[in-house]
């Protein structure tokens, strides 16, 4: 059975812009909300207008006074020595470092972020932050937050995530799980003595392409499902349906504060590999 046929069978009638607006409103999303969205188009069932309709429904739900944010990450702009899916021959590494096009907020596609994000990042009224691996895109009243995004510690206190934390933003998980909750990353930078790492990617500096290294911290995505289960048991999370998709709505600040304490205990209890 084709994937498109499967999406048709998930719903009794097509998802439309209006039906999704109703679903988002029923979940608790309001005009003027600051909202970061993680999504799966196929989870909704068949949508009249596809990803474009989802983006339009989200924008209409929060209105002109709101701000819509999506992570637009491009992890393939990284050192090929760390690639594993797939790995490339060692003798290719330097050629890749020398020739990979630099990050361009207008041209660089996302990696593994889904079709809704790809449509959103190309919206003419969207601003995308400048980070080769951890960029965000935003539409709406506070979209200028995207203009400030440091290269080092790209999901930390000098990233758009901190702005979302400071301004009581909400998280919408639309058909995806807590393993997709980018906000958890901000907590990793708050840990006492976070383990530091180094990443690298091609960027433009003073009008010239440069392969650049920058600091980061160790990330713990492998724990996010377990973390999400604990978070949902202990903090307010609204769960509902938008089309066939299970949707969850909660506050960025709650998720980060909970994750900080949970990760600190989990990290200290987990033996480290030498």
């Amino acid at each position: 059975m084709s994937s498109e046929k499967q999406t048709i069978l998930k719903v009794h009638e097509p998802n439309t812009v209006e039906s999704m607006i109703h679903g988002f409103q029923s979940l608790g999303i309001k005009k003027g909300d600051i909202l970061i969205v993680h999504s799966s188009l196929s989870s909704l069932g068949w949508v009249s207008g596809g990803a474009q309709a989802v983006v339009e429904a989200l924008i209409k739900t929060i209105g002109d006074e709101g701000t819509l944010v999506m992570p637009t990450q491009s992890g393939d702009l990284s050192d090929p020595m760390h690639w594993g899916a797939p790995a490339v021959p060692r003798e290719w590494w330097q050629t890749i470092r020398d020739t990979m096009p630099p990050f361009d907020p207008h041209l660089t596609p996302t990696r593994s972020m889904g079709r809704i994000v790809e449509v959103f990042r190309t919206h003419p009224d969207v601003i995308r932050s400048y980070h080769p691996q951890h960029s965000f895109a935003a539409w709406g009243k506070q979209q200028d937050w995207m203009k400030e995004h440091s290269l080092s510690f790209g999901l930390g206190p000098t990233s758009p995530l901190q702005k979302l934390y400071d301004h009581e933003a909400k998280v919408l998980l639309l058909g995806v799980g807590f393993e997709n909750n980018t906000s958890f990353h901000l907590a990793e930078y708050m840990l006492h003595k976070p383990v530091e790492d180094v990443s690298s990617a091609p960027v433009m500096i003073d009008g010239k392409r440069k392969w650049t290294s920058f600091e980061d911290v160790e990330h713990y995505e492998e724990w996010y499902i377990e973390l999400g289960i604990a978070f949902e048991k202990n903090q307010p999370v609204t769960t509902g349906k938008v089309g066939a998709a299970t949707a969850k709505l909660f506050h960025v600040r709650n998720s980060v504060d909970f994750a900080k304490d949970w990760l600190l205990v989990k990290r200290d209890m987990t033996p480290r590999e030498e």
Side-chain angles (χ1 to χ4, degrees):
M1 185 183 300
S2 69
S3 60
E4 188 168 0
K5 180 66 173 179
Q6 289 175 331
T7 60
I8 292 172
L9 294 176
K10 285 182 179 180
V11 288
H12 298 297
E13 57 186 15
N15 289 289
T16 66
V17 171
E18 291 303 317
S19 71
M20 288 185 288
I21 290 173
H22 177 73
F24 295 143
Q25 291 173 337
S26 297
L27 197 63
I29 300 171
K30 301 178 177 65
K31 293 286 186 183
D33 274 351
I34 302 169
L35 186 68
I36 179 170
V37 178
H38 308 271
S39 59
S40 163
L41 179 62
S42 62
S43 71
L44 290 160
W46 200 82
V47 177
S48 177
Q52 177 184 343
V54 181
V55 171
E56 290 184 9
L58 287 165
I59 287 175
K60 289 181 178 180
T61 302
I62 63 172
D64 291 340
E65 292 298 305
T67 303
L68 180 61
V69 179
M70 296 187 193
T72 50
Q73 298 176 12
S74 45
D76 45 347
L77 267 68
S78 58
D79 196 318
M81 71 180 294
H82 301 303
W83 294 355
V88 295
R90 186 184 185 94
E91 57 270 23
W92 292 11
W93 292 356
Q94 194 56 50
T95 300
I96 292 171
R97 294 180 189 126
D98 292 341
T99 62
M100 181 184 287
F103 176 75
D104 184 313
H106 304 292
L107 294 178
T108 301
T110 61
R111 179 177 173 86
S112 302
M113 303 302 295
R115 291 167 62 190
I116 294 171
V117 173
E118 271 295 289
V119 167
F120 181 67
R121 77 166 183 86
T122 63
H123 191 291
D125 296 326
V126 160
I127 293 177
R128 188 180 184 186
S129 70
Y130 195 90
H131 196 286
Q133 296 172 1
H134 302 310
S135 65
F136 293 81
W139 173 94
K141 187 174 182 179
Q142 306 295 347
Q143 65 177 187
D144 282 352
W145 289 346
M146 301 302 110
K147 295 179 180 179
E148 300 178 9
H149 196 167
S150 67
L151 195 57
S152 291
F153 308 113
L155 294 170
T158 52
S159 77
L161 277 181
Q162 185 68 50
K163 296 288 189 182
L164 299 177
Y165 177 91
D166 291 340
H167 291 83
E168 302 296 334
K170 297 175 181 178
V171 179
L172 173 64
L173 301 180
L174 183 60
V176 298
F178 283 98
E179 66 272 20
N180 294 91
N181 180 30
T182 305
S183 298
F184 281 157
H185 282 298
L186 184 58
E188 295 163 345
Y189 298 80
M190 299 178 176
L191 300 180
H192 179 61
K193 295 182 179 178
V195 179
E196 293 194 14
D197 197 1
V198 176
S199 296
S200 57
V203 295
M204 293 296 290
I205 298 178
D206 296 329
K208 296 181 180 180
R209 178 198 180 276
K210 183 177 180 181
W211 186 270
T212 303
S213 296
F214 44 92
E215 295 176 298
D216 210 337
V217 302
E218 186 174 29
H219 299 304
Y220 301 107
E221 293 101 332
E222 69 272 18
W223 295 340
Y224 280 12
I225 294 177
E226 184 183 354
L227 168 56
I229 292 170
F231 170 69
E232 194 166 14
K233 286 181 178 178
N234 290 278
Q235 296 292 322
V237 176
T238 301
T239 301
K241 284 285 188 179
V242 179
T246 297
K248 296 182 184 294
L249 186 72
F250 51 92
H251 283 88
V252 169
R253 183 181 290 269
N254 286 351
S255 70
V256 173
D257 289 347
F258 182 88
K260 178 184 65 175
D261 295 335
W262 190 93
L263 287 170
L264 184 60
V265 173
K266 178 72 171 180
R267 186 190 65 179
D268 291 346
M269 291 177 59
T270 304
R272 295 184 55 78
E273 295 183 4
E274 297 297 333

